[in-house]
Amino acid sequence: MIYLWAVSSFAGLTVALAAMLMIAERFLVNYGICKLDVNAGEKPLEVAGGQTLLSVLYANEIFIPSACGGKGSCGHCRITVTSGGGPVLPTETPYLTRKEIRAKLRLACQVKIREDIYVRIPAELLNVKMFASTVESARELTHDIKEIRLRLEEPAEISHRPGQYIQVQAPSADGPVYRAYSISSPVYEPNIVELVVRLVPGGIGSTYLHNLNTGDAVSFTGPYGEFQLNEDPSVEIVCVGGGCGMAPMKNIIYTLYDRWPDRSCWLFFGCRTTYDVFYFKQFEELARKHPNFHMVYALSDELGEGERWDGERGFVHLSVDKHLEAGLKRQAFLCGPPPMIEAVTRVLEEKGVRPDDVFYDEF
Amino acid sequence: MGVITIVEVLEHVERFERMLAEFYAKVSEQSTREGVRLLTDYMSRHRWRTHEALTKLSIETAEQIYRICHTPLRYEPQGADRHSFEGVELPPDATAAEVLDTAIKFDECVIQFYRQVLRQPVDKEVKELFESLIRFEQYDVIELKKIKAMDYF
């Protein structure tokens, strides 16, 4: 009995002390107004101290990537803090290498502003915006993949490059979280953002998006991503997708043929059964209009009863190996599970594609 | 007096990672499914890389933070060893989903093993190291779940 009393007294005392500390920090510790300098005077801000760097940046419409809502569990919100960030915290070290720590990289969600702080943010991220949109349409492409078209409300247009992605704000029990999805609509549709989403059982983002109806409001930030389409029309483009890794390919291919109708481009898409095939007719139609567009869909499973398929069989990297001649100047974009990316990259290297010309989105 | 040091704990997991790499290589060799062969070949190489990273970590740790490395633990963590393979059977016709479910269980074995270190009174640096290792394995579990959801293999 005495033991129980001692334990509960100690626990109570600990909770009370923690609460007192939080209250004291909230009301008594006043860091005042601190200077937040972005990119050496490019965007000087004055902010109330005591907040996290990530929340201050979001409040000032600087949307750096963050998938976990500032909980320090995704490691995406990396920025360079040149001065005023305090010591690197244990919660940051799992996400940063020693070299990155030496280069003053920090997780913005873990850095608390307590004094004047100086940060460097890539110029492209300063152009990322928060968008309000509504669902224009949501249709099933397969039993577990949906195409969701968002019409932009505010701002009404987005300027992006093919292969870039957005971060959709999805509600969760712990508050809003952000999940990354590639933009599948081409760049010449600036008031639309289209997504191709596979339902992941238990997944916060995909469950939210799959339950949306026409007219529902959706918020997102973007665009993000470093992919740059090679501007030289003599460079052949190779797109390889697996599973539901189609969204960035669709964007790249339609954007490409809008600008260079005669450019050479291959689309390889791998999935298991005929029930997983989507956008096939749409790309067939495109191939009829543009003779230099070649499409290869490959199925890896044996055909089931009632299934008909005249196309390629086997895994998609084998199709890439079969169809591409070695030695041409190429740029490749891959999207799919890591073992597929690895297998395709190996084939492309054998064909003479330089590693710097291979870009990928791993799931 | 402690019965095991941090370096010995790291070496224990290194050995388990090598067992996993060999296990996946064997599954890859015996599988009748092309997708499973592709997947387990990747998983085997991934576990070898983890094994090598841990080897490097224990060497670096030994060089740089000798004290941490030789910190004795009060209790020897249990699990993440050959007994973890008992009852695990992946026949040649096992599907990719079955392989991935098994892989997730092995990752969870490693996480449980690391957690046993954190349940003991250890230095801040040791705690940080093992928290980092747990996050690494948790990230791996997420990756495996995503690959399963992709339903490609």
Side-chain angles (χ1 to χ4, degrees):
Chain A
M1 194 64 183
I2 289 172
Y3 175 73
L4 272 177
W5 182 84
V7 169
S8 53
S9 300
F10 180 71
L13 197 65
T14 311
V15 171
L17 275 170
M20 276 169 67
L21 278 170
M22 282 169 70
I23 293 164
E25 182 166 15
R26 173 77 180 80
F27 294 104
L28 302 177
V29 180
N30 186 357
Y31 298 105
I33 299 296
C34 301
K35 182 178 162 188
L36 168 59
D37 182 286
V38 180
N39 295 353
E42 191 180 322
K43 196 162 182 173
L45 300 165
E46 289 200 334
V47 300
Q51 309 171 75
T52 67
L53 180 55
L54 183 71
S55 63
V56 167
L57 290 172
Y58 266 62
N60 285 281
E61 300 190 336
I62 299 174
F63 302 108
I64 57 174
S66 166
C68 67
K71 294 184 180 64
S73 59
C74 74
H76 291 181
C77 59
R78 295 149 169 243
I79 60 169
T80 308
V81 178
T82 52
S83 167
V88 176
L89 301 176
T91 44
E92 296 174 79
T93 48
Y95 300 97
L96 302 170
T97 63
R98 283 190 201 134
K99 196 175 166 191
E100 287 170 334
I101 290 171
R102 277 200 299 274
K104 301 194 173 177
L105 227 60
R106 301 290 301 270
L107 296 190
C109 68
Q110 300 300 304
V111 175
K112 221 167 185 185
I113 301 179
R114 295 189 168 95
E115 56 182 318
D116 290 352
I117 184 166
Y118 298 81
V119 302
R120 278 204 309 264
I121 298 175
E124 196 171 74
L125 284 181
L126 295 179
N127 296 326
V128 169
K129 296 186 179 95
M130 170 72 89
F131 289 85
S133 69
T134 52
V135 178
E136 186 181 79
S137 66
R139 68 172 177 129
E140 286 183 1
L141 298 174
T142 72
H143 64 286
D144 61 352
I145 299 176
K146 268 191 172 180
E147 177 198 85
I148 296 152
R149 281 174 72 82
L150 305 173
R151 180 161 289 278
L152 306 189
E153 303 285 346
E154 183 58 43
E157 291 193 350
I158 186 168
S159 167
H160 64 97
R161 296 193 308 272
Q164 285 196 299
Y165 69 94
I166 59 163
Q167 290 209 142
V168 175
Q169 190 186 67
S172 81
D174 301 325
V177 292
Y178 288 85
R179 292 290 183 266
Y181 292 94
S182 293
I183 303 170
S184 62
S185 44
V187 299
Y188 54 79
E189 286 188 275
N191 45 10
I192 291 288
V193 162
E194 185 188 85
L195 310 173
V196 174
V197 182
R198 171 169 245 151
L199 182 64
V200 178
I204 295 172
S206 67
T207 305
Y208 164 68
L209 288 167
H210 267 245
N211 287 325
L212 288 172
N213 294 308
T214 306
D216 284 350
V218 177
S219 297
F220 65 86
T221 60
Y224 302 95
E226 291 163 3
F227 179 66
Q228 296 268 10
L229 194 61
N230 194 312
E231 296 280 310
D232 178 355
S234 72
V235 173
E236 186 174 78
I237 301 298
V238 180
C239 296
V240 189
C244 73
M246 177 64 91
M249 316 307 181
K250 186 168 174 266
N251 183 348
I252 290 167
I253 292 165
Y254 277 88
T255 301
L256 190 87
Y257 283 109
D258 182 60
R259 190 157 167 206
W260 295 286
D262 298 324
R263 192 156 173 181
S264 182
C265 173
W266 286 85
L267 167 67
F268 294 94
F269 184 70
C271 53
R272 288 179 58 189
T273 71
T274 52
Y275 303 107
D276 302 315
V277 170
F278 60 100
Y279 288 149
F280 186 83
K281 285 187 178 162
Q282 204 170 323
F283 282 122
E284 258 189 345
E285 182 62 33
L286 191 76
R288 272 195 286 275
K289 285 184 195 160
H290 303 277
N292 288 331
F293 174 54
H294 317 280
M295 57 180 272
V296 179
Y297 275 54
L299 301 189
S300 57
D301 272 11
E302 293 297 318
L303 290 182
E305 216 179 290
E307 275 188 284
R308 278 195 56 201
W309 181 252
D310 301 325
E312 294 264 322
R313 306 296 304 277
F315 282 92
V316 76
H317 65 285
L318 302 174
S319 299
V320 176
D321 190 31
K322 180 178 156 189
H323 289 277
L324 292 188
E325 285 172 29
L328 286 183
K329 271 198 293 179
R330 292 189 174 102
Q331 187 185 39
F333 195 95
L334 324 177
C335 187
M340 182 213 93
I341 302 270
E342 202 185 77
V344 176
T345 303
R346 239 184 347 248
V347 171
L348 290 171
E349 281 176 15
E350 283 165 16
K351 302 282 177 188
V353 183
R354 293 183 313 129
D356 285 354
D357 290 325
V358 180
F359 296 82
Y360 53 83
D361 261 359
E362 276 182 356
F363 285 92
Chain B
M1 185 177 153
V3 293
I4 191 168
T5 61
I6 296 301
V7 153
E8 286 167 311
V9 167
L10 294 174
E11 284 168 354
H12 178 98
V13 185
E14 267 174 58
R15 283 194 293 277
F16 187 59
E17 290 293 342
R18 195 174 60 222
M19 282 183 218
L20 287 177
E22 287 164 357
F23 173 77
Y24 294 132
K26 195 172 159 198
V27 174
S28 179
E29 210 177 281
Q30 294 177 347
S31 178
T32 54
R33 293 172 187 264
E34 174 68 23
V36 171
R37 284 201 293 273
L38 196 66
L39 175 68
T40 45
D41 177 56
Y42 170 85
M43 286 161 73
S44 175
R45 276 179 285 114
H46 176 66
R47 296 322 310 201
W48 271 118
R49 281 196 291 267
T50 312
H51 164 80
E52 281 161 15
L54 280 168
T55 310
K56 200 176 153 210
L57 179 70
S58 63
I59 292 166
E60 281 187 10
T61 308
E63 283 171 356
Q64 292 174 6
I65 324 170
Y66 184 87
R67 186 180 59 80
I68 292 174
C69 184
H70 292 276
T71 303
L73 288 175
R74 198 168 288 178
Y75 313 105
E76 181 175 354
Q78 301 295 315
D81 55 19
R82 62 186 168 81
H83 296 298
S84 308
F85 292 88
E86 284 168 8
V88 174
E89 272 185 42
L90 285 175
D93 63 344
T95 63
E98 287 167 336
V99 171
L100 290 162
D101 284 340
T102 305
I104 291 167
K105 280 183 193 151
F106 284 138
D107 275 349
E108 279 162 359
C109 275
V110 180
I111 292 171
Q112 289 309 320
F113 183 82
Y114 287 145
R115 284 207 171 120
Q116 291 174 62
V117 176
L118 290 180
R119 279 199 284 271
Q120 303 186 37
V122 288
D123 284 356
K124 192 178 156 222
E125 289 93 340
V126 175
K127 192 168 172 269
E128 282 171 14
L129 172 67
F130 280 86
E131 280 172 350
S132 162
L133 290 169
I134 287 172
R135 285 186 196 207
F136 177 81
E137 289 298 331
Q138 284 171 333
Y139 181 76
D140 206 50
V141 170
I142 293 168
E143 287 298 297
L144 293 170
K145 285 183 178 170
K146 279 202 241 172
I147 294 175
K148 191 180 169 195
M150 283 288 291
D151 196 26
Y152 175 76
F153 297 101

